[in-house]
Amino acid sequence: MDYPIPRRPGFDPPDEFAALRATAPVCPVSLRHGQEALLVTRYDDVRAVLRDHERFSSDPARPGFPQLRPVVDRKAAPGSFLVTDPPEHTRYRKMLTGEFTVRRMNELRPHVERITREHLDALLAGPRPADLVAGFALPVPSDVICLLLGVPVEDQEFFSTRSRAHLNRSLTADQVRTALDELHAYLEDLIRARRAAPGDDLVGRLVADPSLTVGEAVGMTVLLLVGGHETTANSIALSVLALLRDRAQWEALAADPDLVDDAVEELLRYLSPVHHGVVRAVAGDARVGDCPVREGEGVIASLFAANRDPAEFPDPDRLDLRRSAKSHLAFGSGVHQCIGHLLARLEMRVALRALVTALPDLRLAVPFEEVAFRFDAPIYGLRSLPVTW
């Protein structure tokens, strides 16, 4: 079986996932570069892999590390804590932990609300139909992450195009490298400027640590920038479409916006935007469920399949805003759980509450079948979302 498995327009994972969970929960698959890996689809197994960082390594230099991107990663770039193991990973995360605490999110909330209100006002003042992706879902998290990092908002378009190229698996390796080189060059200039004149922002505080090299600071900032707006932008747009597709869900949230906290957890479970999964190299002989895995093999832990596992979530293909879905794995689990998960949750809650409050009669401006999904990236989303009110 080839992997990734092709998707159909809509929100459901490929039908193959349900069959694999039932009959082959650890299944050999073939990847784009001729590699073989093991696809893991059951909730308990995926969670176990993600939590065992000693036997399942995030280091691309390890034999068997599954290569899903057009660019083959032979080693972790400096600062790329997403693809490093402890203790190096622990060092990087420790530098950032204070920036993503509950207290820090509470301090950031008024800024997120202001940014959301500004883009919603602009959307309301503009033409109808409007593209909710370009006019709201993308610029809100882009502005927030630029504010957090201390990056000029006027450079948002630059970052947006480069980060999307970085994640676009339909591009050639050369196109991806060019986008990354441009992003790295910009951030290197920014970081050197912050070293000379520190500012009261995340990058300024990061580079104040003399043990951190410029290369490491660039690598960390790239991850925060790309992950900090692309994933959340897609999650907001997909959430709105899912709610409008099932109109009763949108109306329930509009009637009771206090449902938003549970709604966001359920939407994250239901949508699982990181739909290609999380990759690991087997660093020591282990078992995944009933299946032995050997050092040097590669594993793909499917968050999407796990979040639709009926053993964990009864009737998993139904969107239920009142479901208790906090055990979902949309942000991963273990030491590599997304460091920005509290920020993403905050932005989604604020954005959805603002939309259902200001636009309870929001609706699609085209038939659902004409909405263009974007499946050519590890984080799926929408090319555009035409709406009216």
Side-chain angles (χ1 to χ4, degrees):
M1 177 184 293
D2 291 337
Y3 193 85
I5 302 168
R7 295 283 306 275
R8 294 189 305 274
F11 309 109
D12 293 332
D15 293 339
E16 289 88 340
F17 282 175
L20 290 173
R21 275 196 308 265
T23 62
V26 182
C27 177
V29 292
S30 300
L31 309 184
R32 66 186 300 160
H33 297 293
Q35 267 187 305
E36 298 291 319
L38 299 169
L39 175 65
V40 182
T41 50
R42 286 182 180 168
Y43 178 92
D44 286 345
D45 295 342
V46 168
R47 188 171 180 270
V49 167
L50 297 179
R51 291 189 163 215
D52 187 350
H53 65 268
E54 293 183 353
R55 288 181 293 183
F56 296 95
S57 170
S58 300
D59 185 353
R62 288 269 191 180
F65 184 87
Q67 300 285 347
L68 295 180
R69 299 176 59 224
V71 176
V72 174
D73 299 309
R74 297 299 184 192
K75 63 179 181 178
S80 279
F81 55 90
L82 189 65
V83 287
T84 55
D85 294 326
E88 189 176 19
H89 171 266
T90 308
R91 171 180 167 249
Y92 291 141
R93 289 276 295 215
K94 189 175 180 180
M95 292 179 183
L96 295 169
T97 300
E99 302 290 340
F100 295 97
T101 61
V102 172
R103 180 185 61 81
R104 183 71 181 103
M105 293 305 102
N106 288 335
E107 294 171 353
L108 198 59
R109 176 180 282 275
H111 299 286
V112 175
E113 291 173 340
R114 172 185 56 79
I115 289 168
T116 301
R117 187 171 57 251
E118 289 171 354
H119 286 291
L120 184 55
D121 288 346
L123 189 78
L124 291 169
R128 285 182 275 177
D131 179 3
L132 196 78
V133 171
F136 185 78
L138 184 60
V140 166
S142 293
D143 284 6
V144 170
I145 198 64
C146 285
L147 172 71
L148 193 67
L149 294 176
V151 171
V153 172
E154 57 267 24
D155 292 334
Q156 174 187 302
E157 179 65 21
F158 174 89
F159 290 120
S160 179
T161 55
R162 272 63 178 185
S163 68
R164 287 197 165 195
H166 170 54
L167 296 171
N168 190 338
R169 287 176 177 166
S170 70
L171 298 181
T172 67
D174 286 344
Q175 289 172 313
V176 173
R177 284 195 192 95
T178 298
L180 276 176
D181 287 347
E182 292 172 350
L183 192 56
H184 280 226
Y186 177 95
L187 289 172
E188 186 171 333
D189 289 344
L190 176 70
I191 285 161
R192 292 188 187 281
R194 283 291 191 281
R195 276 248 157 102
D200 186 21
D201 48 56
L202 191 153
V203 171
R205 289 187 288 275
L206 195 63
V207 301
D209 187 331
S211 71
L212 194 70
T213 68
V214 171
E216 288 175 320
V218 169
M220 294 172 76
T221 307
V222 166
L223 282 182
L224 294 172
L225 186 63
V226 174
H229 86 272
E230 186 73 14
T231 308
T232 309
N234 288 335
S235 297
I236 291 171
L238 287 166
S239 294
V240 171
L241 180 60
L243 293 169
L244 294 180
R245 174 67 164 164
D246 187 350
R247 188 73 198 184
Q249 303 279 10
W250 177 266
E251 291 173 355
L253 193 56
D256 184 8
D258 287 341
L259 280 175
V260 72
D261 286 7
D262 285 343
V264 164
E265 300 305 320
E266 170 67 350
L267 285 160
L268 286 165
R269 179 203 70 83
Y270 181 75
L271 297 168
S272 299
V274 184
H275 67 146
H276 288 170
V278 176
V279 296
R280 296 286 187 266
V282 182
D285 291 354
R287 297 187 72 83
V288 178
D290 296 329
C291 180
V293 294
R294 304 299 180 198
E295 184 173 357
E297 292 183 313
V299 167
I300 303 168
S302 174
L303 309 181
F304 209 163
N307 283 336
R308 295 293 188 97
D309 187 342
E312 179 68 17
F313 304 103
D315 197 7
D317 296 330
R318 181 171 62 90
L319 179 63
D320 178 1
L321 301 189
R322 290 178 169 81
R323 184 197 301 268
S324 178
K326 290 184 178 179
S327 61
H328 69 77
L329 300 176
F331 293 113
S333 188
V335 299
H336 279 283
Q337 182 183 38
C338 173
I339 195 169
H341 70 94
L342 292 178
L343 177 59
R345 286 177 158 108
L346 171 62
E347 291 175 295
M348 288 182 68
R349 289 167 181 168
V350 170
L352 290 177
R353 182 184 285 272
L355 284 170
V356 298
T357 302
L359 292 170
D361 58 345
L362 188 73
R363 60 190 185 276
L364 291 179
V366 297
F368 177 81
E369 294 71 22
E370 293 182 13
V371 175
F373 284 80
R374 212 162 48 86
F375 292 132
D376 52 6
I379 302 162
Y380 89 101
L382 305 174
R383 300 188 187 280
S384 63
L385 182 58
V387 294
T388 191
W389 54 92

